[in-house]
Amino acid sequence: MSVQFIALLTLLTPLASAAIIALFLRKQGTLASIVSTLAAAVVAAGSLTLAFGGSRFGADLGAPVAIEWLKLGDLSISLGFLYNDLAALMLSIVGVVGLCVHVFSLGYMHDDSAKARYFGGLSIFMFSMIGIVLADNLFMIFIFWELVGLSSYLLINHYCLKQSAADASKKAFITNRVGDFGFLLGIILCYYAFGTVNLVEIGHASTAGTVVAAAIPLLLFCGAVGKSAQLPLHVWLPDAMEGPTPVSALIHAATMVAAGIFMLCRIEPLFAAAPAVALQTVMWIGAGTALYAALCAITQSDIKKVLAYSTLSQLGYMVAAFGLGSIEHLHDETKTVVILSAGVGAAMFHLTTHAFFKALMFLGSGSVIHGCHHEQDIFKMGGLSKKMPLTFITFTIGVLAIIGMPGLAGFFSKDAILYLAMENNTPVFVILTVTAVLTAFYMVRMWKLVFLGGTRSEDADHAHEGGASMTLPLLVLGLLSVAGGYEAIYGGHFDGVLKQVAHPHGAAHVTILIVSLAVMIVGAAGALLFYKSGPADSLQQKVPGAFAGLNVLKASFDSAYGYYVAKVQQRFALLLNFLDQILIAGLIVRGLSGVVGLFGLAARALHTGNLHVYVYWFLAGAVILWALAAGTL
Amino acid sequence: MNPELIQAAADNPWMAIAPEIALAGLALLLLVAEIFLPKSKHGLVPSISVAGQLGILVGLLVNWNGASVGQPLFNGLLMPGAHTQFLRAFFVASSLLVSVLGVVALAKQKMPKVEFFVIVQVVSAAMMLLSQANHFVLMFVALETVTVGFYILVSYVRTNPLTLEAGLKYLITGALSSGLLLFGIVLLYGVAGNPTLPGSSADSMNFDALYGFLQANPGNFLASLGIVLVLSGVAFKIGAVPFQIWIPDVYQGAPTPVTAFLAVSSKAAGFAILLTLVNVFSPYAGLVATVIAIMAAATILFGNLAALTQHNVKRLLGLSGVSHAGYLLIGVLASLTVPVAASAIYFYLFAYLLASFAVFGVMTHVAGENDADQELDHYTDLAKTNPFLGGILAIGLGSLAGIPPLAGFMGKLLVFMTVFAAAGAPVGPLTAGCYYGLLGVAIVGVVISIYYYFGWIKAAYFDTWRAPLLEGETDPTPARTPVACWMRLTLGLLALASVVLGLYQGPVAGWLLLR
């Protein structure tokens, strides 16, 4: 099998699975879950074979795979693959985490009444996500971008009888529309500027010294703001936790929300060729999101909401890391190559480790929720370390990884970002450090409330470990959360990305080490000392002012958008509706259709059914044409 | 075998028309089978017909490049061109699908069954010859074979008065149009055979000779009159205004498979011969372009407007087919200056074949015993009670309406794009504005057509309420025929092809556009 064929197989297997489930297995949930999980296994096998087989392909890498799909005049849209180290890394993450989530879902969704719909949704998501990863042009990315949006909508809305789930799915979809509008404008502008939307050709054009308007990368960044839930479009992600927990792990933690960062890394040459303001905007939005979300996470009492805000915060970290990358001119022997050094490496490295430990924690929380009969309030849990030892151990690894315990995955990637910030921008370094303190604080708070102390509700008393299908993925991801920070496990196959990760040396190394250790200890100790294992929030009791302040901060965006929608947009819509009813529906549509209908009646009346009349028609027609030929008409 | 024999076989013109001979031979075989098979085995005949046609189609596709393209055959009677290979496959495929529909539709009638298949095959063989005609005599003989066959097919169900009426109307209008065509041919033959004029020829019915004569004598009155009359005769076939008047009555009265045959094959044959003739008449391009432009505009508007108010689905399809002829006519106009327009027309016809047979296939299953009585109301509830037929209908009608991403959309897009390109070099008295105006008319026509096509889809999908029957009243909706397994396969393939061809035109368009 050629490598291109394996890539195609990896892309199309989940689609086939989704089609089979939608057409034939809608009522057979168990069979559907097996088909979908097998498809995920094929994806995982395919992605790892491709990545560690060492083959890379695409326009510049030899063996390009592209078919011309649509050609209209000068506009030619082709479908093709660009499989470089970046895509290989992302595809491996999607494959591995996807398989873990599928296997976990076998146990978690075991009793669900709409299992077939759920697994069909997972398959269509896998297809769309792999499409984004492999696509070699922005247009194709956009198609799959919308498809992941659709599958995310379907899966958030899985419990569609719950009003909150329905609302959340609509919110996610509409908020993403806002970002995608900018993304689409960016693609159009890109085509206008370069005459192509192919990633490789754009790369050539922008490294050839063309100055790119800052608007192009910034508009494309809008897509990432929506999909990766950055300020100010972050509002949908916490609500999206209404979906089943494995979905939150796969889509809203590890892969889809990271697609925004992946896309930024794909269009890196555009940022390199644009004025520095573009990159700085990205950096500030990322840093702002990181801090804001960490502040919001402190007051959450729902275990999934804490993880959601933590995801937001970590995504902000990645976006900031991308923005911190400095533009460097590397001199090849033939041409000058402009790349964003370090930023892409740090962002993708953190994306990778985060995918492992955040998926681990989400699946762990799924295990907890499943064990406690769908109780999600951390104040009603407690003492689960004894009831669910395996979940406890793996979850603890996840927490230690995210707060940056030396030796675990998160430590390396977070340090890379902090080092980059320290070197390049002190204010951002301060923001990210504070965020790291907060991260340690709220993570340890949640960990303590859930697992330590005594049980605080009947559900928690009866908590139990799930079956092997639920614990196995936890173990795999736990292992990756430990080992994911060591470059050795990547075997040098992703050097195109990971070699860009900046490593501090000498004094800087010591500084970073001290800072990150201090950050972790301050945050964790604060939480351990401050929170008691009790049914109420210690912060709310002791410092009600701060608690209320944080809640207002969290709600501020929602209430602002709510005000805008209710007071501005709704009134504008009323006005438009009025115009629509009177002018468009009344005058234009009804009027025009009436006139056309009259003509139609007249035309119909000509068909009298009388043969004599028909013969006269023919003769009249012949005479008219005769007159034409004679030149009298 | 020795190579000389093989060479001789390859040079033999009869070998070049082997598919036509096979198709007609298959028809004779069916007659023989009817005589020799016991009555209880007569059910086999349709199967033999379908299997045989499938074999011929496969043979044609396998020997796709085996044809002697560009070599005149039989002293210039036939000229297999680059496109004729596509048209031959088109006609065999259409004949095959008509036979398949015939199996379903004839089962509801107490009529002899074998003749139907025989006539369909003979007519199709004649169409295949027609598409390669390079001589007026062969063209007329082939055309009359087609027309006479259709006289019988249209009035096939003799027990139905509407069918008989349709047959009579088709006979009289058809004869009239043949008269016009023949008169035109005679005028051209006469004037081009006049030895006192430059470029005259003894064999002036040969298209090449005629082309030479027309080039040597621009502006000859008799020749232009002949051209106009010949175009009128062909306009009857494709149903262009003002020669469209027979269409609703005949389409309604004819049995549904015959209606499909008329709508697809007969129209395609008309366009095949029109494209040939337009080339022959190209020295008189100004006249031809004027005639076609006027006919096209009138045809698009009239077809769509008249279809708007129809309640009978066969009349609706007939009049919508008139508007399709109009879109194709502007493509013919473009082909005067942009040769690739012919390819766009063939692509359009292929998309039209896929969509039409899907829709007609659904119609044969919804229709009851009275084939002429097929109202829009009968489609109420279809999508709910039979989602398969509902889905096929939606895809077929969507493709006919030109909704992306279906094949019909790409067909329209290709034709309109060639017209746009042709506007760069307007012909004769036409200006670029005329081309843009025609495109405008066509787009308005497409918008109108969406109204009635979607009205039909709406009937099948959204009108789920039926008035309760009063006491003593019988249900006016005929019982629907259950869909057989092989019919499911056929219809499913047609719909799938419409979708795939809409998304990816590579092989078909690539082949057509390269020529």
Side-chain angles (χ1 to χ4, degrees):
Chain A
M1 280 194 285
S2 72
V3 281
Q4 291 89 346
F5 182 74
I6 298 178
L8 198 63
L9 195 72
T10 311
L11 175 66
L12 294 182
T13 310
L15 179 66
S17 151
I20 289 170
I21 292 171
L23 292 175
F24 305 112
L25 300 177
R26 281 150 89 159
K27 301 260 155 44
Q28 284 117 300
T30 312
L31 208 53
S33 64
I34 293 170
V35 168
S36 177
T37 309
L38 283 179
V42 170
V43 168
S47 56
L48 292 179
T49 314
L50 283 174
F52 290 96
S55 42
R56 304 286 180 263
F57 49 90
D60 267 2
L61 304 161
V65 192
I67 53 163
E68 192 171 74
W69 177 53
L70 194 63
K71 189 166 170 60
L72 293 174
D74 291 335
L75 172 67
S76 146
I77 294 172
S78 63
L79 302 181
F81 291 161
L82 172 60
Y83 187 74
N84 51 15
D85 282 355
L86 181 63
L89 182 60
M90 191 72 191
L91 190 65
S92 307
I93 296 169
V94 173
V96 170
V97 177
L99 181 60
C100 286
V101 166
H102 273 80
V103 172
F104 186 85
S105 300
L106 289 178
Y108 188 83
M109 303 299 283
H110 188 261
D111 301 324
D112 197 88
S113 56
K115 214 152 83 167
R117 175 154 50 84
Y118 172 81
F119 278 97
L122 278 190
S123 279
I124 195 83
F125 169 76
M126 291 294 277
F127 164 68
S128 328
M129 189 65 215
I130 296 168
I132 292 184
V133 175
L134 289 177
D136 78 337
N137 64 70
L138 286 171
F139 184 77
M140 201 170 146
I141 291 183
F142 186 74
I143 294 177
F144 286 107
W145 196 261
E146 296 301 302
L147 278 174
V148 286
L150 170 77
S151 36
S152 157
Y153 168 83
L154 291 174
L155 287 166
I156 295 172
N157 203 9
H158 180 72
Y159 301 122
C160 53
L161 294 180
K162 263 168 72 187
Q163 184 61 39
S164 54
D167 288 345
S169 61
K170 275 187 276 184
K171 190 173 179 181
F173 202 75
I174 294 169
T175 314
N176 269 299
R177 274 299 65 63
V178 179
D180 292 349
F181 183 68
F183 191 24
L184 192 56
L185 281 183
I187 295 175
I188 294 170
L189 210 57
C190 192
Y191 180 76
Y192 178 75
F194 297 107
T196 175
V197 289
N198 187 292
L199 292 168
V200 176
E201 286 165 27
I202 290 174
H204 287 315
S206 38
T207 44
T210 321
V211 177
V212 179
I216 297 177
L218 281 180
L219 280 170
L220 293 172
F221 176 59
C222 280
V225 168
K227 201 59 83 195
S228 293
Q230 297 297 298
L231 286 180
L233 296 181
H234 64 283
V235 290
W236 65 272
L237 188 60
D239 288 24
M241 294 301 127
E242 290 291 339
T245 310
V247 166
S248 312
L250 178 61
I251 301 185
H252 306 122
T255 54
M256 185 187 84
V257 287
I261 288 105
F262 172 75
M263 188 268 285
L264 289 181
C265 297
R266 280 284 220 197
I267 57 167
E268 158 202 32
L270 275 178
F271 278 97
V277 62
L279 214 51
Q280 271 164 9
T281 313
V282 172
M283 176 186 73
W284 281 111
I285 286 181
T289 310
L291 182 62
Y292 170 82
L295 284 171
C296 292
I298 293 173
T299 61
Q300 297 303 310
S301 62
D302 183 321
I303 182 168
K304 285 181 72 181
K305 287 272 167 79
V306 178
L307 290 175
Y309 278 107
S310 147
T311 307
L312 275 180
S313 174
Q314 299 300 311
L315 289 169
Y317 246 86
M318 297 173 212
V319 170
F322 180 83
L324 281 167
S326 53
I327 298 169
E328 262 182 34
H329 298 259
L330 292 187
H331 294 283
D332 208 331
E333 58 267 24
T334 49
K335 55 185 188 268
T336 308
V337 186
V338 186
I339 58 155
L340 290 182
S341 172
V344 169
M348 280 308 288
F349 189 32
H350 196 54
L351 190 158
T352 313
T353 57
H354 175 258
F356 296 144
F357 60 68
K358 189 52 72 62
L360 169 66
M361 278 193 280
F362 261 113
L363 292 187
S365 78
S367 179
V368 165
I369 293 166
H370 185 73
C372 295
H373 306 101
H374 292 270
E375 179 57 65
Q376 302 194 5
D377 191 339
I378 50 176
F379 291 105
K380 294 189 178 152
M381 296 174 177
L384 295 181
S385 59
K386 294 182 201 73
K387 309 259 176 199
M388 310 173 76
L390 201 69
T391 307
F392 171 65
I393 294 168
T394 48
F395 201 97
T396 308
I397 293 174
V399 170
L400 292 178
I402 196 174
I403 65 176
M405 171 67 89
L408 297 183
F411 169 75
F412 296 101
S413 56
K414 199 178 251 183
D415 274 8
I417 295 176
L418 286 176
Y419 170 63
L420 206 58
M422 189 173 79
E423 292 287 301
N424 288 349
N425 196 317
T426 315
V428 171
F429 175 66
V430 172
I431 292 177
L432 292 183
T433 313
V434 171
T435 307
V437 174
L438 293 171
T439 307
F441 182 76
Y442 65 72
M443 271 296 162
V444 172
R445 160 185 180 265
M446 177 183 73
W447 174 78
K448 184 179 179 189
L449 287 171
V450 171
F451 288 102
L452 301 187
T455 54
R456 287 185 297 273
S457 73
E458 212 171 303
D459 286 326
D461 285 340
H462 300 258
H464 56 87
E465 199 75 77
S469 76
M470 288 171 68
T471 47
L472 202 62
L474 292 178
L475 289 174
V476 172
L477 288 171
L479 208 61
L480 286 170
S481 301
V482 175
Y486 300 95
E487 276 183 36
I489 72 152
Y490 301 100
H493 285 291
F494 308 104
D495 280 354
V497 182
L498 296 179
K499 275 278 175 281
Q500 290 188 40
V501 180
H503 295 289
H505 295 287
H509 194 167
V510 178
T511 319
I512 281 294
L513 200 64
I514 291 169
V515 166
S516 66
L517 276 177
V519 155
M520 187 188 81
I521 291 165
V522 168
L528 282 173
L529 294 176
F530 193 69
Y531 281 93
K532 285 194 300 287
S533 179
D537 196 321
S538 308
L539 184 66
Q540 195 172 16
Q541 287 173 332
K542 293 179 191 162
V543 204
F547 187 85
L550 288 176
N551 267 341
V552 168
L553 182 70
K554 176 184 85 95
S556 57
F557 279 91
D558 275 330
S559 39
Y561 292 154
Y563 180 85
Y564 164 77
V565 170
K567 296 285 155 60
V568 183
Q569 187 177 304
Q570 197 62 22
R571 285 176 189 175
F572 185 59
L574 276 175
L575 178 71
L576 282 185
N577 183 43
F578 175 75
L579 290 179
D580 178 64
Q581 294 289 338
I582 300 290
L583 267 181
I584 299 180
L587 218 57
I588 300 181
V589 175
R590 299 281 158 208
L592 258 185
S593 88
V595 172
V596 173
L598 273 182
F599 277 113
L601 282 176
R604 179 192 164 96
L606 292 175
H607 291 276
T608 57
N610 187 327
L611 194 53
H612 289 94
V613 178
Y614 288 6
V615 171
Y616 291 133
W617 263 88
F618 267 54
L619 295 180
V623 167
I624 291 170
L625 293 183
W626 186 315
L628 267 180
T632 49
L633 259 182
Chain B
M1 270 211 290
N2 74 41
E4 281 164 25
L5 253 169
I6 296 174
Q7 187 56 40
D11 287 344
N12 188 342
W14 296 97
M15 288 302 291
I17 57 165
E20 286 85 349
I21 296 174
L23 201 56
L26 183 63
L28 293 178
L29 182 74
L30 294 184
L31 287 177
V32 174
E34 193 198 14
I35 295 170
F36 285 102
L37 283 176
K39 251 219 157 75
S40 58
K41 294 272 173 63
H42 275 190
L44 277 178
V45 171
S47 316
I48 299 174
S49 164
V50 169
Q53 292 181 65
L54 202 57
I56 294 170
L57 182 60
V58 170
L60 249 177
L61 294 179
V62 168
N63 292 313
W64 191 263
N65 296 316
S68 41
V69 171
Q71 299 291 321
L73 302 172
F74 298 106
N75 288 329
L77 281 185
L78 291 181
M79 179 66 127
H83 287 124
T84 55
Q85 207 56 354
F86 170 80
L87 280 167
R88 288 160 105 190
F90 180 94
F91 289 128
V92 178
S94 171
S95 168
L96 176 68
L97 289 164
V98 168
S99 307
V100 169
L101 293 191
V103 175
V104 179
L106 289 176
K108 296 177 198 169
Q109 311 290 343
K110 294 183 190 60
M111 295 305 297
K113 307 211 163 37
V114 177
E115 289 91 325
F116 178 84
F117 300 99
V118 173
I119 299 170
V120 166
Q121 282 167 213
V122 171
V123 165
S124 296
M127 285 173 177
M128 291 163 75
L129 285 179
L130 190 62
S131 65
Q132 309 169 63
N134 193 40
H135 197 279
F136 268 131
V137 169
L138 184 104
M139 184 194 113
F140 191 73
V141 171
L143 198 62
E144 281 308 280
T145 315
V146 172
T147 315
V148 172
F150 266 119
Y151 295 152
I152 308 168
L153 286 175
V154 167
S155 50
Y156 196 77
V157 185
R158 296 191 294 275
T159 48
N160 188 335
L162 270 174
T163 305
L164 280 183
E165 183 189 327
L168 184 69
K169 281 179 176 165
Y170 190 62
L171 173 65
I172 292 186
T173 51
L176 196 60
S177 81
S178 291
L180 291 176
L181 176 66
L182 202 51
F183 190 25
I185 292 175
V186 167
L187 284 178
L188 285 172
Y189 171 63
V191 70
N194 184 347
T196 59
L197 290 175
S200 71
S201 156
D203 184 18
S204 56
M205 288 217 202
N206 185 299
F207 287 168
D208 301 329
L210 186 60
Y211 177 79
F213 171 80
L214 290 177
Q215 217 165 18
N217 297 275
N220 184 304
F221 173 66
L222 278 182
S224 35
L225 199 55
I227 287 170
V228 163
L229 288 174
V230 168
L231 289 181
S232 314
V234 178
F236 165 82
K237 280 272 147 214
I238 60 176
V241 171
F243 305 99
Q244 93 303 349
I245 197 77
W246 56 280
I247 282 192
D249 291 356
V250 173
Y251 272 45
Q252 187 189 357
T256 306
V258 178
T259 312
F261 201 24
L262 272 175
V264 178
S265 280
S266 182
K267 202 179 293 279
F271 275 101
I273 197 69
L274 187 60
L275 283 172
T276 314
L277 287 176
V278 160
N279 270 332
V280 176
F281 298 157
S282 55
Y284 284 58
L287 172 68
V288 173
T290 317
V291 170
I292 290 180
I294 291 174
M295 278 207 289
T299 306
I300 292 170
L301 286 178
F302 185 90
N304 280 315
L305 287 174
L308 208 52
T309 50
Q310 300 298 330
H311 304 297
N312 183 296
V313 293
K314 282 165 99 181
R315 294 179 81 89
L316 192 155
L317 270 188
L319 287 163
S320 84
V322 168
S323 69
H324 284 287
Y327 307 136
L328 287 167
L329 272 177
I330 58 172
V332 174
L333 177 63
S335 77
L336 280 170
T337 40
V338 183
V340 80
S343 305
I345 290 173
Y346 292 125
F347 185 89
Y348 190 110
L349 283 172
F350 188 58
Y352 182 69
L353 170 133
L354 295 174
S356 294
F357 275 107
V359 174
F360 279 110
V362 174
M363 282 164 66
T364 48
H365 287 90
V366 176
E369 209 171 310
N370 183 356
D371 204 65
D373 177 39
Q374 298 190 30
E375 301 296 315
L376 275 178
D377 296 346
H378 298 176
Y379 285 80
T380 304
D381 234 3
L382 179 72
K384 218 165 108 188
T385 53
N386 195 332
F388 175 76
L389 286 184
I392 302 287
L393 183 75
I395 290 178
L397 290 175
S399 184
L400 285 178
I403 304 298
L406 299 168
F409 169 74
M410 286 315 294
K412 285 202 172 70
L413 190 66
L414 284 176
V415 169
F416 290 176
M417 270 168 33
T418 52
V419 176
F420 194 77
V427 179
L430 300 181
T431 60
C434 294
Y435 286 77
Y436 295 136
L438 278 173
L439 273 181
V441 167
I443 287 163
V444 168
V446 171
V447 172
I448 298 176
S449 77
I450 289 173
Y451 179 83
Y452 56 77
Y453 284 127
F454 275 63
W456 193 346
I457 294 179
K458 174 172 162 281
Y461 275 81
F462 301 110
D463 296 349
T464 47
W465 184 84
R466 283 173 193 245
L469 296 177
L470 296 174
E471 208 168 315
E473 198 183 22
T474 51
D475 190 353
T477 309
R480 286 163 193 155
T481 318
V483 193
C485 172
W486 49 271
M487 201 64 208
R488 257 174 210 278
L489 185 70
T490 315
L491 292 180
L493 280 179
L494 285 171
L496 187 69
S498 279
V499 176
V500 171
L501 203 56
L503 288 173
Y504 184 61
Q505 302 78 31
V508 176
W511 185 83
L512 280 173
L513 296 175
L514 278 180
R515 302 275 156 151

